[in-house]
């Protein structure tokens, strides 16, 4: 690509590395966004139920995972399972895009600039990528949680715009959109770190030890081996399960802090330590800190499986390998 240099009338060519880096970042951003949207679309109903159970919604707190999945459509209609999903899609495209793009670039930075390689650089790059994505998209996650927590007939917010206005005016302005950010970042570090670490490690082991059984030529470069689709799905699912188990109590604390004044006991959930202590004292470990974990296993396995598999496929389509 060339551009005209108006002042001199001569033709100046953009250096190839700059041009390549720009389009690589753009393609990586698009691939991550598509992967995130595909992953979240498959588990939107489970996400709604998860929020209802985690925050002890009075209409459903006495029910289990599957009972809640049945009860929500009866009380709120089938679309009740997708309440808050509009805000989720608005959030998840930039979230997935930033996370996957940041992971690739953090990994390169750690390797080339700091000399960190091997398994540890996957863990570090994944943690930093997850935290970066959270910081940029957190307000949308708060809006999505508030909308998903509502029950038909008891709406505090009429939509995304109204939720933004209400939180901004009644909950301290910009700071109102960052309730629960601390536990989110603390929880995201091990979650994203172990997720990328586990998937990357399993992928490397599979392609180095069983290349003919588990690998196939990449669509964009036959000389490069990639995992077969069903193997990608399995590796992504295992990565999600391990990561969620480690970080789940922090996810519970994050949701309760995000919901803020939507909860009757919100005054006891003003910090990470106070929230964890309150949930543990009031509900215990199984019914408090790990409430909804069975649902989380059901949702995180297909979510991470689809996310990693879609991203690996998009990398081939967009020539990122």
């Amino acid at each position: 690509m060339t551009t005209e240099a108006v002042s001199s009338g001569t033709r100046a060519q953009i250096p190839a590395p700059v041009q390549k880096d720009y389009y690589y970042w753009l393609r990586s951003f698009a691939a991550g966004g598509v992967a995130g949207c595909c992953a979240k679309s498959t588990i939107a109903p489970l996400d709604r139920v998860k929020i209802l159970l985690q925050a002890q919604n009075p209409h459903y707190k006495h029910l289990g995972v599957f009972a809640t999945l049945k009860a929500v459509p009866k009380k709120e209609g089938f679309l009740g399972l997708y309440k808050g999903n509009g805000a989720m899609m608005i959030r998840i495209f930039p979230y997935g895009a930033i996370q996957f793009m940041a992971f690739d670039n953090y990994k390169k930075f750690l390797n080339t600039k700091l000399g960190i390689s091997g398994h540890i650089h996957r863990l570090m790059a994944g943690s930093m990528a997850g935290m970066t994505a959270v910081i940029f998209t957190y307000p949308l996650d708060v809006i999505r949680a508030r909308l998903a927590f509502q029950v038909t007939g008891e709406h505090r917010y009429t939509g995304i715009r109204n939720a933004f206005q209400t939180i901004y005016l009644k909950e301290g302005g910009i700071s109102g959109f960052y309730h629960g950010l601390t536990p989110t970042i603390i929880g995201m570090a091990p979650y994203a770190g172990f997720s990328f670490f586990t998937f990357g490690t399993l992928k490397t082991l599979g392609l180095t030890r069983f290349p003919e059984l588990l690998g196939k030529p990449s669509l964009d470069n036959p000389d490069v081996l990639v995992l077969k689709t069903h193997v990608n799905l399995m590796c992504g699912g295992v990565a999600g399960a391990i990561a969620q188990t480690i970080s789940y109590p922090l996810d519970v604390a994050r949701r309760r802090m995000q919901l803020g004044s939507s909860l009757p006991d919100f005054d006891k959930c003003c910090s990470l330590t106070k929230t964890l202590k309150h949930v543990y004292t009031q509900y215990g470990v199984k019914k408090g800190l790990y409430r909804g974990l069975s649902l989380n296993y059901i949702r995180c396995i297909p979510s991470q499986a689809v996310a990693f598999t879609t991203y690996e496929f998009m990398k081939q389509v967009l020539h990122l390998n």
Side-chain angles (χ1 to χ4, degrees):
M1 180 181 290
T2 58
T3 183
E4 297 292 334
V6 178
S7 59
S8 63
T10 59
R11 188 178 297 273
Q13 187 171 5
I14 297 176
V18 175
Q19 182 182 13
K20 181 180 179 181
D21 285 348
Y22 172 76
Y23 285 113
Y24 180 88
W25 277 53
L26 190 62
R27 294 198 305 271
S28 180
F29 188 88
V34 171
C37 288
C38 289
K40 286 297 182 182
S41 295
T42 62
I43 60 164
L46 296 174
D47 264 339
R48 171 89 202 283
V49 171
K50 173 193 168 187
I51 290 175
L52 292 172
L53 293 181
Q54 276 187 337
Q56 309 284 340
N57 186 285
H59 294 277
Y60 304 106
K61 67 179 181 180
H62 60 289
L63 301 176
V65 173
F66 296 106
T68 304
L69 278 171
K70 293 180 180 179
V72 170
K74 291 180 180 178
K75 183 175 181 60
E76 306 179 53
F78 178 76
L79 292 180
L81 292 171
Y82 290 86
K83 188 170 291 184
N85 196 51
M88 172 58 81
M89 290 298 101
I90 294 173
R91 166 189 171 265
I92 203 61
F93 185 90
Y95 178 86
I98 292 170
Q99 185 181 44
F100 279 103
M101 183 180 70
F103 173 73
D104 285 340
N105 285 280
Y106 281 138
K107 192 169 62 171
K108 291 177 182 177
F109 173 79
L110 291 171
N111 191 14
T112 59
K113 302 296 184 181
L114 302 182
I116 301 174
S117 60
H119 298 310
I120 189 65
H121 88 305
R122 289 196 193 103
L123 185 63
M124 293 176 64
S127 297
M128 292 190 295
M131 291 188 288
T132 301
V134 163
I135 291 171
F136 276 98
T137 62
Y138 193 76
L140 287 169
D141 194 30
V142 172
I143 296 297
R144 190 258 167 174
R146 297 288 181 95
L147 294 176
F149 187 69
Q150 295 183 137
V151 175
T152 300
E154 299 180 5
H155 284 189
R156 296 185 60 187
Y157 313 107
T158 58
I160 297 174
R161 177 183 291 183
N162 178 254
F164 265 111
Q165 293 174 340
T166 304
I167 294 172
Y168 182 81
L169 294 174
K170 296 184 178 181
E171 298 188 33
I174 298 298
S175 63
F177 295 104
Y178 285 91
H179 290 310
L181 179 62
T182 300
T184 301
I185 291 178
I186 295 174
M188 181 52 67
Y191 173 73
F194 279 102
S195 184
F196 279 105
F197 167 78
T198 304
F199 179 80
T201 301
L202 292 175
K203 176 183 176 181
T204 300
L205 289 174
L207 292 178
T208 53
R209 299 196 177 188
F210 308 101
E212 295 182 358
L213 179 63
L214 305 180
K216 65 177 182 179
S218 174
L219 295 175
D220 63 324
N221 187 352
D223 295 329
V224 175
L225 274 183
V226 296
L227 291 176
K228 294 178 180 177
T229 302
H230 69 281
V231 180
N232 253 326
L233 289 168
M234 290 176 61
C235 292
V238 171
I242 292 174
Q244 286 287 350
T245 302
I246 294 171
S247 62
Y248 192 76
L250 292 169
D251 191 40
V252 172
R254 169 178 70 103
R255 285 300 183 198
R256 294 187 71 87
M257 292 179 71
Q258 280 182 336
L259 292 170
S261 59
S262 298
L263 298 175
D265 55 355
F266 74 95
D267 58 313
K268 299 177 182 178
C269 301
C270 54
S271 71
L272 174 58
T273 54
K274 288 183 178 180
T275 302
L276 289 171
K277 183 178 179 181
H278 170 65
V279 173
Y280 173 74
T281 303
Q282 191 72 19
Y283 305 105
V285 176
K286 183 178 180 181
K287 294 185 178 180
L289 295 177
Y290 280 92
R291 180 170 174 79
L293 181 60
S294 59
L295 172 63
N296 225 41
Y297 283 136
I298 295 171
R299 61 177 285 282
C300 77
I301 291 176
S303 174
Q304 289 299 93
V306 171
F308 279 113
T309 303
T310 303
Y311 184 68
E312 291 292 310
F313 174 73
M314 291 300 295
K315 283 171 63 178
Q316 297 175 58
V317 172
L318 298 176
H319 307 286
L320 294 172
N321 285 320

